[in-house]
Amino acid sequence: VRVAPETFDRDLLEVLAEELDKKYANKVLPELGLCICTYDFKDVEDAVIYPSDGAAHHKVVFRMLMFRPFVGEVVVGTIIASNEDGIQVSLDFFDDMFIPSYCLPQPAEYDPRAKLWVWRFDEGEEGGVFTLHEQIRCRVDSITYTSITNTDKGRQATKTSTENSATAAKLTPMQTSSSAPDAEVPLVRQRSTSVDLSADDTSKDPPAMHIKGSVNDDGLGLVIWNWE
């Protein structure tokens, strides 16, 4: 880590943390997650000064606070957009979470006039409206990391996904982790794919980190819904 001469009079750890945050904060490291900020330092070596550079260079071992939810984790976010494909959810510091229409409680339908999704759970009657800016409790179904590289054939995106396996066994309603310790639990699998991207239009590039959520289970949905 490079420490500029004009910061020599400041606390060294504070300066090192600032420099690391400039490099990593709010950036996604593939398969590690979103960097939030520097947490602490495990080791800071003595400074090295190179010829023609008056700055001090320190080799450091540090820990970074990361956002990396696990598959199956339940999180609470805010609905920020809806379309025919599903619902976009913000976690305040992370906006690339999406709940596809098939992961909503069924039967659900999209109201094109209101541009909102509606859950009709009782003989077609309106049971719940997924209103914008409402808090929603959802489960993480998959996490996808995307890295973009330039190849001889053009720009290419490589996606690595961690998700629930479709063939995984699930607990029956009468089983719990305490009453059935040997019961099978949903498996998690990883898969990788590559796709070609447009050379000019970078606005359609996939996000570096994308979370797919679901609310099609008991206890999930809008926080204002009372499940008790």
Side-chain angles (χ1 to χ4, degrees):
V1 179
R2 184 179 185 276
V3 178
E6 57 268 24
T7 62
F8 285 171
D9 60 336
R10 296 174 52 194
D11 179 74
L12 176 59
L13 295 183
E14 180 182 334
V15 175
L16 292 174
E18 287 182 0
E19 293 300 319
L20 290 171
D21 287 345
K22 289 179 183 178
K23 182 176 182 179
Y24 293 109
N26 204 33
K27 294 183 179 179
V28 172
L29 300 181
E31 300 188 46
L32 291 179
L34 175 67
C35 300
I36 305 299
C37 64
T38 303
Y39 180 70
D40 64 7
F41 292 90
K42 305 298 289 184
D43 184 48
V44 178
E45 295 187 4
D46 292 336
V48 176
I49 299 178
Y50 296 101
S52 70
D53 185 4
H57 296 258
H58 295 266
K59 182 178 291 186
V60 301
V61 178
F62 65 97
R63 293 191 296 177
M64 179 73 66
L65 184 63
M66 309 288 292
F67 169 66
R68 184 189 180 187
F70 57 84
V71 174
E73 181 176 356
V74 175
V75 298
V76 175
T78 304
I79 299 175
I80 58 174
S82 294
N83 56 35
E84 294 181 352
D85 296 325
I87 295 172
Q88 185 178 359
V89 176
S90 170
L91 302 177
D92 292 336
F93 57 89
F94 182 84
D95 293 341
D96 291 313
M97 183 172 189
F98 192 76
I99 303 174
S101 58
Y102 57 85
C103 291
L104 296 172
Q106 301 300 320
E109 63 180 43
Y110 182 68
D111 185 341
R113 297 183 62 183
K115 297 183 179 180
L116 298 173
W117 278 92
V118 181
W119 175 29
R120 305 187 183 280
F121 65 83
D122 186 11
E123 297 181 357
E125 295 184 3
E126 185 176 298
V129 180
F130 291 90
T131 311
L132 293 181
H133 310 304
E134 286 285 355
Q135 285 192 316
I136 185 171
R137 183 179 293 107
C138 47
R139 183 181 59 238
V140 176
D141 272 5
S142 71
I143 305 173
T144 301
Y145 297 99
T146 302
S147 58
I148 299 176
T149 56
N150 293 316
T151 66
D152 295 337
K153 297 181 179 180
R155 299 171 65 248
Q156 190 175 66
T158 302
K159 298 183 178 182
T160 303
S161 298
T162 303
E163 59 188 5
N164 281 328
S165 173
T167 59
K170 296 183 178 180
L171 295 176
T172 64
M174 295 300 294
Q175 291 177 320
T176 64
S177 58
S178 59
S179 62
D182 298 327
E184 295 182 357
V185 297
L187 302 177
V188 174
R189 68 177 181 181
Q190 283 190 328
R191 60 190 181 95
S192 181
T193 57
S194 296
V195 295
D196 294 329
L197 300 175
S198 169
D200 301 321
D201 189 2
T202 59
S203 63
K204 296 183 180 180
D205 288 355
M209 179 179 176
H210 180 268
I211 299 176
K212 187 186 81 172
S214 67
V215 291
N216 55 354
D217 206 350
D218 292 345
L220 303 179
L222 297 187
V223 173
I224 61 174
W225 295 349
N226 187 0
W227 285 98
E228 296 180 358

